């Protein structure tokens, strides 16, 4: 809630009070009524803090209140007080303090706090996983697939799969009849072409045949992907177009991405994509679910390893944006290649840079945040190269390629059936409640931040106060809950790959209603006012709490209260009654000394007559349990 909104809500509350009071005066002769006051808890805390009282929870509430309302300078003041009182805080406080320090120009200390945040949250730690540890994790992910050798394989290299018009489109280096197909000098083998095989009703594959001649050339083609309407395809080919071969400055012909469109039932109008270059390779395209983003592998400038995964925007007019590297969560110093986007919006890809079983392994991550990478496990992954994953998420059937032992050729295509899904996300859900009366709070805004405080999702609780969000597994997130007129609350959540998390949230009203009969200590969720055994002197820790009551009564000049004091059960009832009256009177005297008129205060001792636990006469209890009964309450008698 912004400061402006807060003041408006305060004005509306005052108007409501005045109207209620007017109506009550009209009907006073025939109907009882309850007058109301409104307490701004944050305002009370700030005034108490300004008097020099120090309390960790108070500083947190003050600092967070200003931080969540983007008043970073004031937030910085109270975060400073918090860290001066206790420098050992949860990671999120180091981050927020770092941000507010920037707002006041203290960049050196801001950087120090950010370093502390990274240290506390583990952001700057080198992975502590060893190969053996990671193999244990792979074993947990294994055994989820049944695999079969596909019927289309030859003694040559067969790989790369995409299903289009109920046909398997794949790459093969098998020989094509006729004199036009050349031998690739690098491998002394035939160049690869795209092939197609019909997927029959029983899921068997027909005899392969070459894909259309307009696409296949005398050089290498591979890795095709098609739009859902079948009007456009993207594919990989050597640097060759319109009969002309291109090469880099070392006379090497590299790979490029091409686009073709369907014209009168044939693929035509082959063009190369504008971000290609003669000096680096681009290959293995994949389309996002909305088909507005193209993913691919490349070793262009900015690559972290041998090859990285990139993405590029496809604009509505058919033009392309600037390629973006997917970053170091996905890309390594090794080789990342063969991306595929599933209907579950998960990115599958192959890598020899992430820890795996050997060679290229197939990995998966959620495209929602690209925060976590998981090895899909055996038997899809092996000790050899495993790549070019494709899956139908409805049937859970698919294809992948491998050069593992036992195959028919150099690379073979394998069919699979996924029999158990891999949990890459963890569901966090719960209800949002009003902490004061436990009523549900609909339409509360829920913002999710990753471990670097980057916003990853925003949702709202529904009309029943329920919220649900799917987060990457095995990560730490900061979830922020906000609703107008309530104090914003933030919680750290560690997700699990196996169990959903139920997390109910209780938000406190920013403006708290107080009526006749209310206990002001309960209204502000204050700690009880405790006394030492057999003593009635106001303790230092009690003064901090009592000052909150003083500020409330200064805001509400017509409020009168009764101070009620209680004792534990030790000593006699008469002794305890006398002691409680002394404590109540000592508290009243403290209020008078601090500016509250005597005629607004009553005091009364109740002795041991109202214990809050089982510690009655003869019952053995700890000192802490006895202390819970040595307390005071501040009950509103009237509000004029």
């Amino acid at each position: 809630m912004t400061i402006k909104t807060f003041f408006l809500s305060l004005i509306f509350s005052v108007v409501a009070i005045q109207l209620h009071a007017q109506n009550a005066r009209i009907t006073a002769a025939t109907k009882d009524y309850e007058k109301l006051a409104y307490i701004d808890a944050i305002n009370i805390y700030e005034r108490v803090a300004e008097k020099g009282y120090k309390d960790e929870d108070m500083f947190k509430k003050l600092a967070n209140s200003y931080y969540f309302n983007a008043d970073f300078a004031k937030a910085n003041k109270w975060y400073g007080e918090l860290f001066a009182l206790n420098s050992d805080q949860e990671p999120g406080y180091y981050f927020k303090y770092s941000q507010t320090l920037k707002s006041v120009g203290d960049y050196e200390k801001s950087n120090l706090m950010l370093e502390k945040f990274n240290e506390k949250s583990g952001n700057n730690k080198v992975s502590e996983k060893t190969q053996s540890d990671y193999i244990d994790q792979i074993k947990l992910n294994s055994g989820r697939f049944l695999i079969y050798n596909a019927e289309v394989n030859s003694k040559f290299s067969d790989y790369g799969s995409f299903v289009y018009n109920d046909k398997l489109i794949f790459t093969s280096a098998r020989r094509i009849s006729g004199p036009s197909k050349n031998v690739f000098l690098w491998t002394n083998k035939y160049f690869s072409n795209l092939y197609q095989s019909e997927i029959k009703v029983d899921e068997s594959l027909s005899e392969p045949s070459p894909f259309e001649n307009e696409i296949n050339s005398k050089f290498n083609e591979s890795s095709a992907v098609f739009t859902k309407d079948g009007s456009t395809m993207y594919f990989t080919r050597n640097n060759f177009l319109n009969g002309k071969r291109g090469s880099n400055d070392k006379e090497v012909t590299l790979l490029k991405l091409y686009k073709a469109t369907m014209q009168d039932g044939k693929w035509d109008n082959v063009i190369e994509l504008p971000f290609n270059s003669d000096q680096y390779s681009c290959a293995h395209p994949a389309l996002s679910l909305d088909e507005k983003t193209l993913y691919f592998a490349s070793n262009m400038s900015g690559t972290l390893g041998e090859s990285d995964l990139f993405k590029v925007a496809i604009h509505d007019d058919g033009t392309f944006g600037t390629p973006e590297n997917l970053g170091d969560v996905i890309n390594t110093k090794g080789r990342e290649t063969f991306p595929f986007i599933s209907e579950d919006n998960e990115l599958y890809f192959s890598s020899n840079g992430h820890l795996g079983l050997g060679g290229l392994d197939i990995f998966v991550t959620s495209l929602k945040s690209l925060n976590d990478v998981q090895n899909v496990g055996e038997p899809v992954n092996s000790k050899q190269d495993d790549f070019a994953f494709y899956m139908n998420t409805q049937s859970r059937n698919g294809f992948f390629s491998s050069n593992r032992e036992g195959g028919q050729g150099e690379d073979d295509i394998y069919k699979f059936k996924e029999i158990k899904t891999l949990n890459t996300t963890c569901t966090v859900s719960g209800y949002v409640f009003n902490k004061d009366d436990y009523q549900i709070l609909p339409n509360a805004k829920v913002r999710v931040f990753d471990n670097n405080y980057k916003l990853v999702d925003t949702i709202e609780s529904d009309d029943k106060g329920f919220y649900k969000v799917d987060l990457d597994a095995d990560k730490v997130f900061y979830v922020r809950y906000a609703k107008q007129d309530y104090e914003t609350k933030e919680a750290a959540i560690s997700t699990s790959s196996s169990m959903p998390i139920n997390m109910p949230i209780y938000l406190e009203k920013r403006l708290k209603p107080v009526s006749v009969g209310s206990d002001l200590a309960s209204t502000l969720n204050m700690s009880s006012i405790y006394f030492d055994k057999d003593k009635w002197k106001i303790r230092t820790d009690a003064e901090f709490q009592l000052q909150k009551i003083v500020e409330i009564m200064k805001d509400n000049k017509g409020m009168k209260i009764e101070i009620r004091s209680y004792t534990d059960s030790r000593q006699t009832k008469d002794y305890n009654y006398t002691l409680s009256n002394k404590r109540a009177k000592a508290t009243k005297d403290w209020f008078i000394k601090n500016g509250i008129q005597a005629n607004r205060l009553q005091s009364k001792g109740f002795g041991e007559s109202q214990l809050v636990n089982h510690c009655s006469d003869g019952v053995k209890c700890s000192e802490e349990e006895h202390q819970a009964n040595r307390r005071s309450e501040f009950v509103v008698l009237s509000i004029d």
Side-chain angles (χ1 to χ4, degrees), residues 432-441 505-507 525:
V432 183
F433 297 97
N434 183 332
K435 186 175 181 179
D436 297 326
D437 57 15
Y438 301 103
Q439 295 297 308
I440 63 170
L441 291 179
I505 293 297
Y506 301 88
L507 298 183
N525 298 310

Side-chain angles (χ1 to χ4, degrees), residues 308-433:
D308 283 3
L309 297 187
F310 289 80
K311 66 177 180 179
V312 63
I314 305 173
H315 299 144
D316 292 340
D317 62 0
T319 60
F320 291 82
T322 302
E324 300 176 39
N325 191 295
L326 292 192
D328 58 8
V329 173
I330 304 299
N331 295 314
T332 67
K333 292 182 179 179
R335 179 185 173 200
E336 279 69 49
T337 187
F338 287 100
F340 166 73
I341 313 300
S342 74
E343 289 293 328
D344 291 332
N345 206 29
E346 292 178 328
L347 168 65
Y348 289 84
F349 64 98
S350 292
S351 171
N352 62 7
H354 292 279
L355 291 173
L357 297 176
L360 289 171
D361 271 23
I362 296 170
F363 295 84
V364 61
T365 185
S366 170
L367 264 182
K368 195 171 190 178
S369 58
L370 295 179
N371 267 342
D372 185 43
V373 171
Q374 294 199 50
N375 189 299
V376 302
E378 295 179 303
V380 168
N381 285 327
S382 68
K383 295 179 180 179
Q384 304 302 317
D385 287 331
D386 308 292
F387 56 100
F389 187 94
Y390 171 90
M391 180 170 65
N392 181 315
T393 54
Q394 293 183 340
S395 67
R396 312 309 291 183
N397 293 331
F399 303 89
F400 71 96
S401 304
S402 179
N403 66 347
R404 66 186 61 191
E405 294 181 1
Q408 188 172 342
E410 297 171 4
D411 295 300
D412 282 342
I413 298 173
Y414 291 82
K415 299 161 66 173
F416 69 76
K417 174 74 174 180
E418 186 183 44
I419 56 177
K420 180 183 177 183
T421 59
L422 175 66
N423 286 330
T424 60
T425 59
C426 175
T427 299
V428 178
S429 63
Y431 289 88
V432 183
F433 297 97

Side-chain angles (χ1 to χ4, degrees), residues 463-483:
D463 58 356
K464 296 181 181 178
F466 182 75
Y467 75 94
K468 183 175 76 170
V469 60
D470 291 327
L471 303 176
D472 286 341
D474 300 319
K475 294 291 181 180
V476 174
F477 294 89
Y478 298 95
V479 185
R480 191 174 296 168
Y481 306 84
K483 186 173 175 65

Side-chain angles (χ1 to χ4, degrees), residues 66-120:
Y66 285 117
Y67 181 87
F68 294 139
N69 285 285
D71 192 339
F72 295 140
K74 288 185 178 179
N76 175 256
K77 172 182 177 180
W78 298 118
Y79 282 132
E81 292 285 357
L82 172 65
F83 277 84
L85 189 63
N86 182 5
S87 61
D88 185 17
Q89 298 294 334
E90 296 174 355
Y93 285 97
Y94 290 90
F95 180 86
K96 293 192 280 285
Y97 190 24
S98 170
Q99 299 301 101
T100 64
L101 283 164
K102 290 181 182 179
S103 73
V104 297
D106 194 344
Y107 297 104
E108 183 176 352
K109 191 170 184 179
S110 173
N111 291 336
L112 177 62
M113 288 297 108
L114 192 58
E115 289 176 5
K116 289 285 189 181
F117 166 70
N118 288 329
E119 179 183 338
K120 285 270 187 177

Side-chain angles (χ1 to χ4, degrees), residues 280-291:
Y280 55 77
S281 287
C282 293
H284 313 312
L287 281 169
S288 63
L289 295 184
D290 62 7
E291 300 182 346

